[in-house]
Amino acid sequence: MMEKYNLTPFNSMLHEWITCFKIKDDGKREEIQFAVKMNSQDPSLYGICDMVFNLTIPNEFEKYLSAMPNETKDDWIKTIQSYQNPKTGWFKEGLINYGMHFKEHSSAFSIAALQLLGGAPKYDFKIAKRLCSRKKVHSWLKRRPEWGILYWPGSHRGGGVAAIFATLGEEFYPHPQFFEWYFDWLDENADSEVGFWRLGWIHKITKDRLTIQELGGAVHYYWIYEYFDHPIPYPEKVIDSTLSLQKEFGTWDKEYSYCLDLDAIFCLTRCCEQTKGYRKEDITGAIIKYLDYIIEKMNTKDFVYTHYQSAHTLTGYVCAIAEIYKYYPNLFEEKIEYVQTLDITPWI
């Protein structure tokens, strides 16, 4: 009989962990604020947005609010809205975002968090005016995101802008055919050998290049694909490539779990679904390998407090668990379902 994984110890420490990021009320601050770094007193857009996901995905947000009688979702919404530039529409937390994330990433992340809270941005995005024709969309996709050695962070631009408009809805699209043009270009330029895109200069130098950069970059587009139920190009190759990149001990990169593990698991589950079961046993084995390695560690307070001193790091982990829960709920003991927010808004 297959072992079932217990998330209770992790869930029980989540609220206490979150309080380590909350900005202390000095009696002068009206907004609810969180830092992105543990025990910091520097308000951060990423800090509060991450907590929206870190509480919503494990179904803990309402429980958290019930213990905070002076807080409402509207308070959280107003804080996130305060980071928006009324002239451009972009959300930023100062001159440089946490982790040097592009404004397209912080904006998509903010819009997604607002959506989960039942809110919306206050101002329109001016970039829409520059994406109102097929030629402009294709030129933007070719030149604006980085496809070379910075392919992964560069995809925050190409995926982030699309996620903004997808979440906001049709009335905010740059053009009614925006996503048709968007998918046409991406479909045409996907690499038939590995599934991911290999377009940048580094791929011309190293033609057989297949790294976590390609995986981490591609998934920011796959989130948009899945949101619109548009078939991912070469899904079998995506599965092959993703499985080949898993580390021997279970994750796809580091000794702790973060966003790249979500990326890999999302590629496996969604492409398996699209192909009606291609390499399903191998995918199940890869996911169990991941869970065998990480669940015990995530149920240990010392491990969590040591490796998750950034609010943004945990977000990828809880969403990875939500993705596994969606397709393999019988692997877990819990009856409280994790929410896959990527099915609600295609960014995290």
Side-chain angles (χ1 to χ4, degrees):
M1 184 176 180
M2 185 180 296
E3 175 189 358
K4 291 195 175 185
Y5 300 94
N6 184 356
L7 303 180
T8 301
F10 168 77
N11 289 341
S12 66
M13 76 176 83
L14 182 61
H15 291 211
E16 179 185 340
W17 177 85
I18 286 173
T19 62
C20 296
F21 296 83
K22 193 163 188 179
I23 304 296
K24 294 179 181 178
D25 185 0
D26 58 6
K28 300 177 182 178
R29 187 178 291 111
E30 296 181 359
E31 297 173 332
I32 304 300
Q33 290 278 10
F34 286 88
V36 71
K37 297 180 180 179
M38 185 177 283
N39 297 321
S40 169
Q41 289 300 303
D42 296 326
S44 167
L45 172 62
Y46 277 86
I48 189 167
C49 288
D50 276 308
M51 294 316 176
V52 173
F53 287 93
N54 288 331
L55 285 166
T56 300
I57 292 171
N59 258 327
E60 291 285 332
F61 204 106
E62 296 302 331
K63 184 178 178 181
Y64 173 86
L65 280 184
S66 67
M68 301 289 173
N70 296 324
E71 290 184 27
T72 67
K73 285 187 178 180
D74 284 342
D75 295 327
W76 288 56
I77 289 170
K78 289 176 182 177
T79 297
I80 296 171
Q81 288 174 334
S82 71
Y83 286 92
Q84 188 179 24
N85 185 324
K87 295 181 179 179
T88 64
W90 299 119
F91 286 75
K92 288 184 68 179
E93 57 176 26
L95 184 62
I96 301 175
N97 281 324
Y98 164 75
M100 299 188 73
H101 285 101
F102 291 120
K103 61 184 181 297
E104 291 88 347
H105 184 287
S106 55
S107 298
F109 197 42
S110 300
I111 298 295
L114 287 171
Q115 175 80 356
L116 296 176
L117 292 170
K122 297 173 68 174
Y123 309 104
D124 292 336
F125 284 83
K126 299 300 188 291
I127 192 176
K129 296 179 180 179
R130 303 201 300 271
L131 298 171
C132 56
S133 72
R134 183 187 190 90
K135 182 178 180 180
K136 290 180 179 179
V137 171
H138 286 194
S139 178
W140 166 71
L141 278 169
K142 182 178 181 180
R143 293 180 172 84
R144 187 59 173 168
E146 162 66 22
W147 294 101
I149 199 167
L150 297 177
Y151 174 9
W152 184 354
S155 68
H156 294 162
R157 286 176 161 166
V161 169
I164 289 168
F165 294 123
T167 302
L168 292 177
E170 291 184 30
E171 64 181 293
F172 294 95
Y173 290 0
H175 187 281
Q177 291 179 275
F178 172 79
F179 282 103
E180 177 185 329
W181 302 330
Y182 183 80
F183 290 126
D184 282 350
W185 191 90
L186 290 172
D187 288 347
E188 184 177 343
N189 286 281
D191 191 301
S192 61
E193 294 184 7
V194 300
F196 308 139
W197 289 269
R198 294 195 293 189
L199 300 171
W201 61 270
I202 190 67
H203 302 102
K204 294 179 174 63
I205 296 172
T206 311
K207 294 183 179 180
D208 295 329
R209 177 182 167 92
L210 176 60
T211 71
I212 60 173
Q213 293 292 322
E214 284 71 49
L215 167 61
V219 80
H220 292 111
Y221 300 99
Y222 295 158
W223 294 344
I224 315 301
Y225 272 80
E226 280 292 289
Y227 188 75
F228 286 102
D229 199 26
H230 187 93
I232 292 172
Y234 312 111
E236 292 89 355
K237 295 297 185 180
V238 174
I239 290 172
D240 292 341
S241 296
T242 305
L243 287 172
S244 74
L245 291 169
Q246 187 177 23
K247 299 292 185 181
E248 184 177 349
F249 52 83
T251 72
W252 273 260
D253 188 18
K254 301 182 183 295
E255 65 178 16
Y256 58 89
S257 184
Y258 73 115
C259 60
L260 190 70
D261 300 308
L262 161 64
D263 300 346
I265 291 164
F266 188 93
C267 287
L268 294 176
T269 52
R270 302 304 172 111
C271 288
C272 184
E273 185 81 358
Q274 184 177 318
T275 59
K276 308 300 181 185
Y278 176 73
R279 296 190 67 178
K280 188 171 184 177
E281 289 186 6
D282 293 332
I283 291 169
T284 303
I287 288 173
I288 289 175
K289 185 178 183 180
Y290 165 77
L291 292 173
D292 280 345
Y293 173 78
I294 203 64
I295 293 298
E296 181 180 356
K297 290 177 171 56
M298 295 305 294
N299 282 336
T300 305
K301 185 174 181 178
D302 285 347
F303 183 87
V304 172
Y305 276 68
T306 298
H307 292 88
Y308 294 89
Q309 295 190 15
S310 161
H312 199 58
T313 309
L314 191 76
T315 305
Y317 166 73
V318 293
C319 198
I321 295 299
E323 184 66 12
I324 297 171
Y325 195 103
K326 176 176 178 175
Y327 289 95
Y328 302 94
N330 292 333
L331 289 176
F332 299 95
E333 292 182 1
E334 277 74 19
K335 295 181 180 179
I336 300 175
E337 183 177 353
Y338 269 45
V339 177
Q340 180 44 288
T341 56
L342 286 170
D343 293 332
I344 302 170
T345 171
W347 200 258
I348 191 167

Short mmCIF file of all heavy atoms in Angstrom, two decimals, residues 2 5 246 283-293 331:
data_model
loop_
_atom_site.label_atom_id
_atom_site.label_comp_id
_atom_site.label_asym_id
_atom_site.label_seq_id
_atom_site.Cartn_x
_atom_site.Cartn_y
_atom_site.Cartn_z
N MET A 2 0.58 2.19 -0.89
CA MET A 2 1.39 3.40 -1.02
C MET A 2 1.24 4.30 0.21
O MET A 2 0.14 4.52 0.71
CB MET A 2 0.96 4.17 -2.28
CG MET A 2 1.81 5.39 -2.59
SD MET A 2 1.27 6.23 -4.08
CE MET A 2 1.57 4.96 -5.31
N TYR A 5 1.07 11.04 2.31
CA TYR A 5 1.88 12.11 2.87
C TYR A 5 1.02 13.02 3.74
O TYR A 5 -0.11 13.37 3.39
CB TYR A 5 2.54 12.91 1.74
CG TYR A 5 3.43 12.05 0.89
CD1 TYR A 5 2.93 11.46 -0.28
CD2 TYR A 5 4.75 11.79 1.25
CE1 TYR A 5 3.74 10.65 -1.07
CE2 TYR A 5 5.56 10.98 0.47
CZ TYR A 5 5.05 10.41 -0.69
OH TYR A 5 5.85 9.61 -1.46
N GLN A 246 15.41 16.29 -13.56
CA GLN A 246 15.21 16.08 -12.12
C GLN A 246 16.51 15.62 -11.47
O GLN A 246 17.23 14.76 -11.99
CB GLN A 246 14.12 15.05 -11.86
CG GLN A 246 13.74 14.92 -10.38
CD GLN A 246 12.59 13.95 -10.14
OE1 GLN A 246 12.33 13.06 -10.95
NE2 GLN A 246 11.89 14.12 -9.03
N ILE A 283 6.15 9.74 -14.64
CA ILE A 283 5.77 11.01 -14.02
C ILE A 283 5.35 10.78 -12.57
O ILE A 283 5.77 11.51 -11.66
CB ILE A 283 4.63 11.67 -14.82
CG1 ILE A 283 5.17 12.15 -16.18
CG2 ILE A 283 4.00 12.82 -14.05
CD1 ILE A 283 4.10 12.59 -17.15
N THR A 284 4.55 9.75 -12.35
CA THR A 284 4.14 9.42 -10.97
C THR A 284 5.37 9.12 -10.11
O THR A 284 5.48 9.58 -8.97
CB THR A 284 3.19 8.21 -10.97
OG1 THR A 284 2.06 8.49 -11.79
CG2 THR A 284 2.73 7.90 -9.55
N GLY A 285 6.31 8.38 -10.69
CA GLY A 285 7.54 8.06 -9.96
C GLY A 285 8.35 9.29 -9.62
O GLY A 285 8.91 9.40 -8.52
N ALA A 286 8.43 10.24 -10.56
CA ALA A 286 9.18 11.47 -10.32
C ALA A 286 8.54 12.30 -9.22
O ALA A 286 9.24 12.89 -8.38
CB ALA A 286 9.25 12.29 -11.61
N ILE A 287 7.22 12.34 -9.20
CA ILE A 287 6.51 13.12 -8.18
C ILE A 287 6.65 12.47 -6.81
O ILE A 287 6.86 13.15 -5.80
CB ILE A 287 5.03 13.28 -8.59
CG1 ILE A 287 4.94 14.27 -9.76
CG2 ILE A 287 4.18 13.75 -7.41
CD1 ILE A 287 3.57 14.40 -10.37
N ILE A 288 6.57 11.15 -6.74
CA ILE A 288 6.75 10.45 -5.47
C ILE A 288 8.18 10.63 -4.97
O ILE A 288 8.41 10.83 -3.76
CB ILE A 288 6.39 8.95 -5.63
CG1 ILE A 288 4.87 8.81 -5.79
CG2 ILE A 288 6.88 8.15 -4.42
CD1 ILE A 288 4.41 7.40 -6.08
N LYS A 289 9.13 10.60 -5.87
CA LYS A 289 10.53 10.85 -5.51
C LYS A 289 10.68 12.23 -4.88
O LYS A 289 11.37 12.41 -3.87
CB LYS A 289 11.40 10.72 -6.76
CG LYS A 289 12.89 10.85 -6.51
CD LYS A 289 13.64 10.64 -7.83
CE LYS A 289 15.14 10.68 -7.62
NZ LYS A 289 15.87 10.47 -8.91
N TYR A 290 10.03 13.21 -5.48
CA TYR A 290 10.05 14.57 -4.95
C TYR A 290 9.41 14.63 -3.57
O TYR A 290 9.98 15.21 -2.63
CB TYR A 290 9.32 15.50 -5.93
CG TYR A 290 8.95 16.85 -5.38
CD1 TYR A 290 9.89 17.86 -5.23
CD2 TYR A 290 7.63 17.13 -5.01
CE1 TYR A 290 9.55 19.11 -4.74
CE2 TYR A 290 7.27 18.37 -4.51
CZ TYR A 290 8.23 19.36 -4.38
OH TYR A 290 7.88 20.60 -3.88
N LEU A 291 8.24 14.02 -3.42
CA LEU A 291 7.54 14.05 -2.14
C LEU A 291 8.30 13.29 -1.06
O LEU A 291 8.36 13.74 0.10
CB LEU A 291 6.14 13.47 -2.30
CG LEU A 291 5.15 14.29 -3.15
CD1 LEU A 291 3.86 13.50 -3.37
CD2 LEU A 291 4.85 15.63 -2.51
N ASP A 292 8.87 12.17 -1.42
CA ASP A 292 9.66 11.39 -0.45
C ASP A 292 10.80 12.24 0.12
O ASP A 292 11.13 12.13 1.31
CB ASP A 292 10.25 10.15 -1.13
CG ASP A 292 9.25 9.02 -1.26
OD1 ASP A 292 8.19 9.08 -0.60
OD2 ASP A 292 9.52 8.08 -2.03
N TYR A 293 11.38 13.05 -0.73
CA TYR A 293 12.50 13.87 -0.28
C TYR A 293 12.06 15.07 0.53
O TYR A 293 12.63 15.38 1.58
CB TYR A 293 13.30 14.36 -1.50
CG TYR A 293 14.38 15.36 -1.14
CD1 TYR A 293 15.58 14.93 -0.58
CD2 TYR A 293 14.19 16.73 -1.33
CE1 TYR A 293 16.58 15.84 -0.22
CE2 TYR A 293 15.17 17.64 -0.98
CZ TYR A 293 16.35 17.20 -0.43
OH TYR A 293 17.32 18.11 -0.08
N LEU A 331 -2.62 10.78 -2.73
CA LEU A 331 -1.28 10.69 -2.14
C LEU A 331 -1.23 11.34 -0.76
O LEU A 331 -0.27 11.13 -0.01
CB LEU A 331 -0.25 11.36 -3.05
CG LEU A 331 0.11 10.65 -4.35
CD1 LEU A 331 1.08 11.51 -5.16
CD2 LEU A 331 0.71 9.28 -4.08
#
